[in-house]
């Protein structure tokens, strides 16, 4: 199931991982609160943009490519976060938190180049090898933000999950609670020292078909394996365009250029897909 452990920031650069953990906690305190995030991560990104006075549009559209999770870019001063709605919702959630780290780096002047040139999250960046140091950090940030140590330990205790007897179905329970993919949960348990590296390695040996069968049999985390195809969303772009058009607030040339811009964005989904 990929080289998740060896490719993690926790394994490669422990001290930097600890710094990202601090950043995640600070970010949660300022923009999230102390509850499990799950699908509310979309609202967290919007809240961050609002507080930082950033122009942001979140777009959800099927890319027709299971390997491509999300991408972000800046155009005309607006940040566009584009998410593959054909993916399982749990992967969309992880992808949004990953791209949020890139947006944060841009907004705080840490690295303005990544999303200016276009940040792209593919499955190999999550499962095998991050393309850049910032991607490596973004993966760690995503896991820490969505499954923070305190809440992870709390839920492990509440559900009677023990280090000695933890099994695959316990991983599914945590997937259900935190709305995260299987590998992300295993990695967080390892990072949080709830399971050993060897135990994490054992869990990662199970192939995806076995995990899918257990999900189907137990019903655990099943809701997060569904995609959101059919719920295409183009942020405020389409709404604003239709409102302005219906109320004759646009010249013909402006309406034409705005519609052309929206079509270009739609086309970029297919191009990147």
């Amino acid at each position: 199931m990929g080289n998740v452990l060896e490719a993690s920031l926790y394994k490669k650069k422990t001290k930097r991982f600890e710094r990202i953990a601090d950043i995640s906690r600070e970010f949660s305190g300022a923009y999230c609160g102390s509850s499990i995030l799950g699908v509310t991560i979309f609202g967290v990104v919007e809240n961050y943009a609002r507080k930082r006075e950033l122009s942001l549009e979140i777009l959800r559209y099927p890319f027709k490519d299971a390997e491509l999770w999300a991408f972000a870019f800046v155009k005309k001063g607006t940040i566009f976060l584009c998410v593959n709605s054909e993916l399982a919702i749990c992967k969309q959630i992880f992808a949004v938190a990953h791209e949020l780290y890139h947006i944060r780096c841009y907004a705080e002047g840490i690295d303005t180049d990544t999303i200016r040139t276009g940040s792209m999250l593919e499955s190999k960046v999550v499962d095998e090898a991050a393309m850049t140091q910032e991607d490596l950090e973004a993966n760690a940030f995503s896991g820490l933000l969505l499954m923070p140590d305190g809440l992870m330990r709390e839920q492990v205790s509440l559900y009677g999950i023990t280090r000695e007897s933890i099994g695959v179905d316990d991983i599914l329970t945590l997937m259900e609670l935190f709305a995260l993919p299987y590998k992300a949960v295993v990695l967080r348990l390892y990072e949080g020292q709830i399971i050993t590296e060897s135990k994490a390695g054992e869990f990662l040996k199970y192939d995806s078909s076995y995990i899918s069968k257990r999900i189907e049999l137990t019903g655990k985390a099943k809701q997060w394996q569904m995609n959101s195809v059919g719920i295409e969303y183009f942020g405020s772009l389409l709404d604003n365009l239709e409102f302005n058009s219906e109320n004759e607030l646009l010249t013909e040339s402006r309406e034409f250029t705005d519609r052309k811009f929206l079509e270009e964005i739609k086309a970029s989904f297919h191009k990147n897909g």
Side-chain angles (χ1 to χ4, degrees):
M1 295 193 78
N3 195 23
V4 176
L5 301 183
E6 292 299 326
S8 69
L9 184 67
Y10 179 78
K11 186 75 172 176
K12 287 185 170 183
K13 298 183 178 181
T14 306
K15 289 189 180 298
R16 186 56 186 166
F17 175 85
E18 291 171 356
R19 176 57 189 145
I20 298 300
D22 289 339
I23 290 171
S24 173
R25 282 190 287 270
E26 293 165 6
F27 190 95
S28 292
Y31 305 103
C32 308
S34 57
S35 60
I36 295 173
L37 296 180
V39 293
T40 62
I41 188 64
F42 287 91
V44 169
V45 179
E46 292 174 337
N47 186 40
Y48 177 73
R50 179 183 60 81
K51 285 191 170 183
R52 298 287 303 188
E53 297 183 343
L54 302 170
S55 177
L56 170 75
E57 295 287 353
I58 299 177
L59 291 72
R60 301 172 77 175
Y61 193 79
F63 293 177
K64 307 300 180 184
D65 182 351
E67 299 301 311
L68 181 56
W69 288 28
F71 60 94
F73 61 92
V74 178
K75 186 164 185 177
K76 297 180 179 179
T78 296
I79 300 170
F80 292 90
L81 170 55
C82 310
V83 185
N84 187 356
S85 62
E86 205 164 45
L87 288 179
I89 292 173
C90 61
K91 291 183 178 180
Q92 294 183 47
I93 289 168
F94 187 91
V96 170
H98 174 104
E99 293 301 324
L100 174 56
Y101 184 77
H102 291 308
I103 292 170
R104 174 190 170 274
C105 288
Y106 167 80
E108 300 190 12
I110 299 167
D111 176 7
T112 60
D113 290 335
T114 298
I115 63 172
R116 278 193 185 280
T117 57
S119 163
M120 184 178 296
L121 178 61
E122 298 177 290
S123 59
K124 64 182 179 182
V125 175
V126 179
D127 296 340
E128 298 171 16
M131 305 302 289
T132 66
Q133 173 68 20
E134 192 172 309
D135 274 330
L136 194 63
E137 294 177 3
N139 282 342
F141 176 83
S142 182
L144 286 159
L145 189 68
L146 296 167
M147 194 173 176
D149 285 344
L151 287 173
M152 175 172 59
R153 295 193 181 100
E154 177 186 76
Q155 296 304 312
V156 164
S157 176
L158 286 172
Y159 281 82
I161 299 171
T162 65
R163 183 190 301 261
E164 297 74 25
S165 63
I166 188 170
V168 169
D169 287 0
D170 295 314
I171 305 296
L172 302 190
T173 295
L174 294 170
M175 288 169 63
E176 172 73 28
L177 291 168
F178 289 96
L180 281 174
Y182 179 83
K183 295 177 190 177
V185 172
V186 172
L187 179 58
R188 284 298 297 122
L189 289 170
Y190 168 55
E191 292 170 345
Q193 299 180 7
I194 292 173
I195 59 175
T196 63
E197 182 174 353
S198 61
K199 190 67 175 178
E202 288 177 23
F203 283 131
L204 293 172
K205 288 179 181 177
Y206 291 103
D207 61 32
S208 57
S209 62
Y210 175 77
I211 301 304
S212 296
K213 287 177 182 176
R214 291 305 304 169
I215 290 172
E216 190 65 32
L217 184 64
T218 64
K220 294 178 179 179
K222 190 173 181 178
Q223 62 178 317
W224 307 124
Q225 309 312 306
M226 300 177 185
N227 62 42
S228 55
V229 171
I231 311 176
E232 297 176 9
Y233 183 63
F234 289 95
S236 65
L237 296 180
L238 187 58
D239 290 344
N240 289 345
L241 177 57
E242 295 302 339
F243 177 84
N244 290 335
S245 179
E246 288 172 6
N247 290 276
E248 299 181 348
L249 299 176
L250 298 174
T251 63
E252 287 186 10
S253 60
R254 176 58 188 276
E255 182 174 350
F256 174 79
T257 57
D258 284 359
R259 289 192 183 279
K260 183 179 179 182
F261 179 52
L262 185 56
E263 289 303 318
E264 287 174 354
I265 291 176
K266 287 183 180 181
S268 73
F269 280 100
H270 296 293
K271 180 179 178 182
N272 285 286

